[in-house]
Amino acid sequence: MTDKPSPPAAPAAAPQPSRSSRSSQPSQPSLQDRLVAAGFGAGWALVPHLPERLTGRAFDAAADRLWRRRGSSVRRLEANLARVRGTSPDDPAVRALSREGMRSYFRYFHEVFRLPSVPKAEIVARTHVSGAERIFENLDKGRGVVLALPHMGNWDQAGAWLVGSGHTFTTVAERLRPESLFRRYTAFREGLGMEVLPLTGGDGQNFGTLAQRLRAGRAVALPAERDLTARGIEVSFFGSATRMPAGPGLLAVHTGAALLPAIPYFHGRDWGLDIHEEIAIPEEGTRQERTAAAMQSLAAVFERGISAHPQDWHMLQRLWLEDLEPRA
């Protein structure tokens, strides 16, 4: 296990409409990339066939090992958690919280390897959901739903719950390196019942495809507190400026779909999922102004969800603008 763990292969936020798509040949994978891909392949092949308690303890031990080293990823997690708690990264309470955070982060990976072998009925039964009717009532009357969520808990499991409840959905996935790992992750999510669109290297029509799904009365799910495109909407988040991807708000403005914040977290050995009230889209203003207002409202809900379950917020990257390195 390296000092800097690979980030969870989370779905990415919906890109804004663009005139052309970026399409390039994937670069030759490095040795580290190939080892990561091999490790994930071994995880999907072996972990489901081993006792869950045994593998769970192994993942906890790996998380603790990285936490004790306090490498760059752990220090970044602690800096982010300090902002959430309104204290210093040197606060002993933050240090203790970061250990829980690393265990939660590694639990996500552990569950990713086991999820394909877990019956859908069990996933649904063990998911404790509040506000599920906000999804189902909209979908049942033919209105599309944009589920926007932070990188918390196990978002793949939350997607499996939605599929197990009888509703397929579409998401957009960050393109991982090497390409073989991206294909494995895509196959994993498609096996759970999701439709997965690549963030880059596709046909450049993601926004149109997502809008089409929403107009057809279907669901779209997009993590939304970290901008990967450099074209995000600036919002205030825990008292400081950051950028959130415009996609969730822009899709709601563009299609009239319901924009619902979703907060996934771990609930003991089970899972929790809070579906919050629909984000109100302003009726006045330009499309950009209405989108920005929606994303600021979404950020406020995310603040409450993350504050309630900070140990399950898997943000090991720079997020706030003052922490970002200048772009080339």
Side-chain angles (χ1 to χ4, degrees):
M1 192 66 69
T2 63
D3 186 55
K4 184 175 181 181
S6 299
Q16 299 183 48
S18 61
R19 294 179 182 176
S20 62
S21 64
R22 289 184 301 169
S23 178
S24 59
Q25 294 295 326
S27 59
Q28 189 71 17
S30 67
L31 175 60
Q32 182 175 347
D33 288 341
R34 293 197 296 271
L35 290 173
V36 169
F40 272 79
W44 273 303
L46 298 176
V47 170
H49 303 291
L50 297 173
E52 185 174 358
R53 287 188 178 182
L54 176 65
T55 54
R57 286 198 295 267
F59 275 76
D60 280 348
D64 287 348
R65 206 156 46 239
L66 254 69
W67 176 79
R68 284 192 294 270
R69 290 179 186 172
R70 204 164 181 262
S72 59
S73 293
V74 175
R75 294 196 305 272
R76 175 49 50 193
L77 175 63
E78 290 173 352
N80 291 340
L81 289 173
R83 285 184 181 269
V84 171
R85 299 295 293 267
T87 186
S88 164
D90 298 326
D91 187 337
V94 170
R95 180 64 175 150
L97 184 60
S98 72
R99 184 185 186 189
E100 294 182 58
M102 290 303 292
R103 284 193 167 200
S104 173
Y105 182 68
F106 272 67
R107 174 177 170 175
Y108 163 78
F109 289 115
H110 182 227
E111 291 184 350
V112 160
F113 297 140
R114 302 194 72 93
L115 267 178
S117 63
V118 180
K120 288 183 179 179
E122 180 181 342
I123 291 174
V124 172
R126 291 176 54 198
T127 306
H128 305 265
V129 187
S130 66
E133 70 281 357
R134 294 177 175 131
I135 301 174
F136 302 144
E137 288 175 358
N138 278 293
L139 294 178
D140 288 346
K141 63 185 180 184
R143 186 187 182 201
V145 168
V146 180
L147 291 165
L149 58 155
H151 291 80
M152 289 182 66
N154 189 335
W155 42 88
D156 290 308
Q157 178 278 329
W161 165 81
L162 184 58
V163 172
S165 300
H167 296 280
T168 59
F169 68 95
T170 305
T171 190
V172 178
E174 180 181 356
R175 195 145 211 135
L176 302 174
R177 295 180 303 172
E179 182 69 14
S180 61
L181 178 57
F182 175 73
R183 291 196 299 268
R184 282 183 181 272
Y185 241 111
T186 299
F188 156 68
R189 289 185 170 127
E190 290 175 342
L192 296 178
M194 313 176 195
E195 179 187 21
V196 182
L197 307 177
L199 178 64
T200 58
D203 61 8
Q205 303 300 316
N206 283 349
F207 187 89
T209 300
L210 295 173
Q212 185 180 56
R213 300 293 184 268
L214 292 168
R215 290 195 179 99
R218 294 178 57 183
V220 164
L222 301 168
E225 92 280 34
R226 180 170 174 244
D227 175 44
L228 295 174
T229 66
R231 300 194 303 272
I233 300 289
E234 186 170 321
V235 298
S236 175
F237 194 50
F238 288 103
S240 297
T242 187
R243 291 191 187 94
M244 292 175 60
L250 189 59
L251 283 165
V253 169
H254 192 67
T255 67
L259 177 55
L260 301 179
I263 307 295
Y265 55 94
F266 293 124
H267 188 280
R269 292 188 64 251
D270 294 343
W271 305 280
L273 181 62
D274 295 338
I275 308 300
H276 288 259
E277 293 182 359
E278 179 180 345
I279 297 294
I281 306 297
E283 296 182 2
E284 303 295 329
T286 65
R287 178 177 294 185
Q288 183 176 5
E289 290 168 342
R290 297 167 70 203
T291 300
M295 296 309 297
Q296 183 61 68
S297 297
L298 187 63
V301 179
F302 283 179
E303 287 177 343
R304 297 199 298 272
I306 293 168
S307 295
H309 309 281
Q311 72 281 357
D312 291 330
W313 188 42
H314 304 156
M315 189 51 62
L316 281 71
Q317 298 85 18
R318 298 174 187 270
L319 183 69
W320 282 273
L321 299 186
E322 61 193 71
D323 295 334
L324 295 177
E325 298 172 350
R327 295 181 183 271

PDB file of all heavy atoms in Angstrom, residues 45-57:
ATOM      1  N   ALA A  45     -11.741 -10.145  -7.543  1.00  0.00           N
ATOM      2  CA  ALA A  45     -11.691 -11.601  -7.724  1.00  0.00           C
ATOM      3  C   ALA A  45     -11.671 -12.352  -6.402  1.00  0.00           C
ATOM      4  O   ALA A  45     -12.264 -13.434  -6.287  1.00  0.00           O
ATOM      5  CB  ALA A  45     -10.461 -11.973  -8.546  1.00  0.00           C
ATOM      6  N   LEU A  46     -11.001 -11.788  -5.374  1.00  0.00           N
ATOM      7  CA  LEU A  46     -10.750 -12.546  -4.151  1.00  0.00           C
ATOM      8  C   LEU A  46     -11.623 -12.151  -2.961  1.00  0.00           C
ATOM      9  O   LEU A  46     -12.097 -13.027  -2.225  1.00  0.00           O
ATOM     10  CB  LEU A  46      -9.277 -12.402  -3.755  1.00  0.00           C
ATOM     11  CG  LEU A  46      -8.241 -12.943  -4.741  1.00  0.00           C
ATOM     12  CD1 LEU A  46      -6.832 -12.632  -4.252  1.00  0.00           C
ATOM     13  CD2 LEU A  46      -8.423 -14.443  -4.928  1.00  0.00           C
ATOM     14  N   VAL A  47     -11.808 -10.847  -2.735  1.00  0.00           N
ATOM     15  CA  VAL A  47     -12.464 -10.393  -1.503  1.00  0.00           C
ATOM     16  C   VAL A  47     -13.851 -11.000  -1.300  1.00  0.00           C
ATOM     17  O   VAL A  47     -14.193 -11.406  -0.180  1.00  0.00           O
ATOM     18  CB  VAL A  47     -12.508  -8.849  -1.462  1.00  0.00           C
ATOM     19  CG1 VAL A  47     -13.397  -8.355  -0.317  1.00  0.00           C
ATOM     20  CG2 VAL A  47     -11.099  -8.290  -1.305  1.00  0.00           C
ATOM     21  N   PRO A  48     -14.707 -11.110  -2.338  1.00  0.00           N
ATOM     22  CA  PRO A  48     -16.035 -11.678  -2.103  1.00  0.00           C
ATOM     23  C   PRO A  48     -16.018 -13.129  -1.629  1.00  0.00           C
ATOM     24  O   PRO A  48     -17.017 -13.606  -1.068  1.00  0.00           O
ATOM     25  CB  PRO A  48     -16.717 -11.568  -3.470  1.00  0.00           C
ATOM     26  CG  PRO A  48     -15.969 -10.517  -4.200  1.00  0.00           C
ATOM     27  CD  PRO A  48     -14.556 -10.656  -3.730  1.00  0.00           C
ATOM     28  N   HIS A  49     -14.904 -13.832  -1.824  1.00  0.00           N
ATOM     29  CA  HIS A  49     -14.831 -15.252  -1.488  1.00  0.00           C
ATOM     30  C   HIS A  49     -14.154 -15.507  -0.145  1.00  0.00           C
ATOM     31  O   HIS A  49     -14.010 -16.651   0.268  1.00  0.00           O
ATOM     32  CB  HIS A  49     -14.086 -16.007  -2.594  1.00  0.00           C
ATOM     33  CG  HIS A  49     -14.708 -15.839  -3.946  1.00  0.00           C
ATOM     34  ND1 HIS A  49     -15.930 -16.372  -4.286  1.00  0.00           N
ATOM     35  CD2 HIS A  49     -14.275 -15.156  -5.038  1.00  0.00           C
ATOM     36  CE1 HIS A  49     -16.229 -16.050  -5.532  1.00  0.00           C
ATOM     37  NE2 HIS A  49     -15.240 -15.306  -6.004  1.00  0.00           N
ATOM     38  N   LEU A  50     -13.755 -14.430   0.539  1.00  0.00           N
ATOM     39  CA  LEU A  50     -13.109 -14.552   1.839  1.00  0.00           C
ATOM     40  C   LEU A  50     -14.063 -14.093   2.926  1.00  0.00           C
ATOM     41  O   LEU A  50     -14.995 -13.325   2.671  1.00  0.00           O
ATOM     42  CB  LEU A  50     -11.835 -13.699   1.866  1.00  0.00           C
ATOM     43  CG  LEU A  50     -10.740 -14.097   0.872  1.00  0.00           C
ATOM     44  CD1 LEU A  50      -9.616 -13.061   0.878  1.00  0.00           C
ATOM     45  CD2 LEU A  50     -10.192 -15.480   1.194  1.00  0.00           C
ATOM     46  N   PRO A  51     -13.867 -14.545   4.166  1.00  0.00           N
ATOM     47  CA  PRO A  51     -14.762 -14.115   5.262  1.00  0.00           C
ATOM     48  C   PRO A  51     -14.769 -12.596   5.415  1.00  0.00           C
ATOM     49  O   PRO A  51     -13.706 -11.956   5.446  1.00  0.00           O
ATOM     50  CB  PRO A  51     -14.155 -14.801   6.493  1.00  0.00           C
ATOM     51  CG  PRO A  51     -13.390 -15.967   5.945  1.00  0.00           C
ATOM     52  CD  PRO A  51     -12.856 -15.515   4.618  1.00  0.00           C
ATOM     53  N   GLU A  52     -15.953 -12.016   5.523  1.00  0.00           N
ATOM     54  CA  GLU A  52     -16.074 -10.555   5.561  1.00  0.00           C
ATOM     55  C   GLU A  52     -15.367  -9.960   6.773  1.00  0.00           C
ATOM     56  O   GLU A  52     -14.745  -8.893   6.676  1.00  0.00           O
ATOM     57  CB  GLU A  52     -17.553 -10.157   5.558  1.00  0.00           C
ATOM     58  CG  GLU A  52     -17.778  -8.661   5.484  1.00  0.00           C
ATOM     59  CD  GLU A  52     -19.234  -8.291   5.327  1.00  0.00           C
ATOM     60  OE1 GLU A  52     -20.079  -9.202   5.242  1.00  0.00           O
ATOM     61  OE2 GLU A  52     -19.537  -7.081   5.285  1.00  0.00           O
ATOM     62  N   ARG A  53     -15.457 -10.611   7.919  1.00  0.00           N
ATOM     63  CA  ARG A  53     -14.779 -10.078   9.106  1.00  0.00           C
ATOM     64  C   ARG A  53     -13.272 -10.037   8.909  1.00  0.00           C
ATOM     65  O   ARG A  53     -12.601  -9.081   9.319  1.00  0.00           O
ATOM     66  CB  ARG A  53     -15.122 -10.926  10.328  1.00  0.00           C
ATOM     67  CG  ARG A  53     -16.541 -10.726  10.855  1.00  0.00           C
ATOM     68  CD  ARG A  53     -16.737 -11.442  12.175  1.00  0.00           C
ATOM     69  NE  ARG A  53     -18.073 -11.227  12.706  1.00  0.00           N
ATOM     70  CZ  ARG A  53     -18.505 -11.701  13.869  1.00  0.00           C
ATOM     71  NH1 ARG A  53     -17.676 -12.444  14.609  1.00  0.00           N
ATOM     72  NH2 ARG A  53     -19.729 -11.464  14.284  1.00  0.00           N
ATOM     73  N   LEU A  54     -12.731 -11.057   8.278  1.00  0.00           N
ATOM     74  CA  LEU A  54     -11.297 -11.116   8.042  1.00  0.00           C
ATOM     75  C   LEU A  54     -10.853 -10.000   7.106  1.00  0.00           C
ATOM     76  O   LEU A  54      -9.887  -9.275   7.383  1.00  0.00           O
ATOM     77  CB  LEU A  54     -10.924 -12.479   7.459  1.00  0.00           C
ATOM     78  CG  LEU A  54      -9.456 -12.676   7.067  1.00  0.00           C
ATOM     79  CD1 LEU A  54      -8.569 -12.606   8.311  1.00  0.00           C
ATOM     80  CD2 LEU A  54      -9.265 -14.005   6.348  1.00  0.00           C
ATOM     81  N   THR A  55     -11.537  -9.853   5.988  1.00  0.00           N
ATOM     82  CA  THR A  55     -11.147  -8.802   5.038  1.00  0.00           C
ATOM     83  C   THR A  55     -11.413  -7.419   5.609  1.00  0.00           C
ATOM     84  O   THR A  55     -10.646  -6.479   5.367  1.00  0.00           O
ATOM     85  CB  THR A  55     -11.891  -8.982   3.700  1.00  0.00           C
ATOM     86  OG1 THR A  55     -13.305  -9.043   3.942  1.00  0.00           O
ATOM     87  CG2 THR A  55     -11.450 -10.260   3.001  1.00  0.00           C
ATOM     88  N   GLY A  56     -12.480  -7.271   6.384  1.00  0.00           N
ATOM     89  CA  GLY A  56     -12.762  -5.982   7.004  1.00  0.00           C
ATOM     90  C   GLY A  56     -11.648  -5.555   7.944  1.00  0.00           C
ATOM     91  O   GLY A  56     -11.232  -4.389   7.952  1.00  0.00           O
ATOM     92  N   ARG A  57     -11.147  -6.503   8.754  1.00  0.00           N
ATOM     93  CA  ARG A  57     -10.034  -6.171   9.658  1.00  0.00           C
ATOM     94  C   ARG A  57      -8.777  -5.815   8.867  1.00  0.00           C
ATOM     95  O   ARG A  57      -8.013  -4.922   9.269  1.00  0.00           O
ATOM     96  CB  ARG A  57      -9.761  -7.345  10.600  1.00  0.00           C
ATOM     97  CG  ARG A  57     -10.797  -7.511  11.699  1.00  0.00           C
ATOM     98  CD  ARG A  57     -10.269  -8.383  12.828  1.00  0.00           C
ATOM     99  NE  ARG A  57     -10.026  -9.751  12.381  1.00  0.00           N
ATOM    100  CZ  ARG A  57     -10.897 -10.743  12.460  1.00  0.00           C
ATOM    101  NH1 ARG A  57     -12.117 -10.508  12.946  1.00  0.00           N
ATOM    102  NH2 ARG A  57     -10.591 -11.959  12.055  1.00  0.00           N
TER     103      ARG A  57
END
